[in-house]
């Protein structure tokens, strides 16, 4: 076999190996996302966490992420935070976060709901103040509040782009638990306060990985067919004709 033919065979083999490997990698990514989605579903169906079983560390919270939680406490509205640039139903607005003081003295950041942005004045927020006195909140456990892109860390203030719970604890001096409670619409004393809580369900998003896998496998098949045609079939037909 001529040197040129060897080079063509080696290049084609390398291309086929790389594209097949990329296709398998996309299938593996899809399998990982399906496993995570199933894990979320299983945790969501698990029994509700009670006040005495709340995670106290990030390691414990990671094991209980997405589980239903019920807590009782008192709102600390002076420390409310509004996360900007959060869309809901094609409208821009804020995520409203307020710490909840628990009976044992610790506190918990609650993602209370969504409030629309004032069209005339962006910094004017008329979100409803949480009720005074003891309240009962139902939600699901999240490791962090919903995050969006930011160029630089936010300066202290009520309107921010993102919220880091550990940094917020140092800023306020509150004994915060290291996770966030995302309040749900199904129950709790604050339901009916005007905040929207139609939180989107996390999507498994596996179809795009299947599509990419098909593209990579198709490219590998095309490379193989072209190799066979130009290096075997076409020379054989030419030799037979001559």
């Amino acid at each position: 076999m001529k040197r040129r033919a060897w080079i063509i065979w080696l290049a084609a083999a390398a291309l086929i190996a790389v594209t097949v490997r990329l296709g398998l990698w996309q299938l593996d990514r899809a399998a990982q996302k399906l496993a995570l989605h199933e894990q979320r579903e299983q945790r969501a169906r698990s029994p509700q966490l009670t006040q005495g079983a709340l995670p106290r560390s990030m390691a414990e919270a990671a094991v209980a992420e997405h589980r239903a939680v019920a807590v009782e406490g008192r709102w600390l509205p002076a420390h409310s935070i509004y996360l900007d640039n959060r869309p809901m139903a094609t409208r821009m607005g804020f995520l409203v976060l307020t710490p909840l003081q628990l009976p044992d003295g610790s506190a918990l950041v609650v993602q209370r709901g969504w409030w629309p942005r004032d069209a005339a004045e962006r910094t004017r927020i008329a979100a409803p103040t949480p009720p005074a006195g003891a309240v009962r909140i139902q939600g699901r456990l999240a490791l962090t509040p919903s995050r969006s892109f930011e160029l630089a860390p936010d300066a202290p203030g009520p309107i921010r782009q993102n919220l880091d719970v550990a940094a917020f604890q140092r800023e306020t001096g509150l004994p915060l638990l290291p996770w966030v409670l995302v309040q749900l619409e199904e129950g709790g004393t604050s339901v009916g306060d005007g905040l929207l809580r139609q939180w989107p369900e996390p999507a498994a998003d596996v179809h795009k990985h299947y599509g990419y896998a098909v593209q990579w496998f198709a490219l590998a098949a095309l490379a193989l067919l072209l190799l066979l045609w130009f290096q075997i079939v076409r020379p054989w037909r030419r030799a037979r004709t001559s």
Side-chain angles (χ1 to χ4, degrees), residues 1 43 53 63 81 124 165 176 186 188:
M1 187 179 295
R43 290 180 177 178
V63 176
I81 294 295
R124 181 168 55 209
V165 176
L176 294 173
E186 286 79 3

Side-chain angles (χ1 to χ4, degrees), residues 193-217:
D193 56 9
L195 296 175
L196 298 182
R197 301 182 181 91
Q198 285 78 46
W199 310 118
E201 290 295 326
D205 196 23
V206 297
H207 298 291
K208 69 175 184 180
H209 294 291
Y210 290 142
Y212 292 150
V214 169
Q215 293 177 15
W216 287 120
F217 290 142

Side-chain angles (χ1 to χ4, degrees), residues 28-42 204 206:
D28 184 61
R29 289 285 295 149
Q32 292 177 18
K33 288 192 174 183
L34 283 175
L36 288 175
H37 181 73
E38 179 60 27
Q39 183 185 71
R40 284 196 297 266
E41 292 294 314
Q42 289 179 353
V206 297

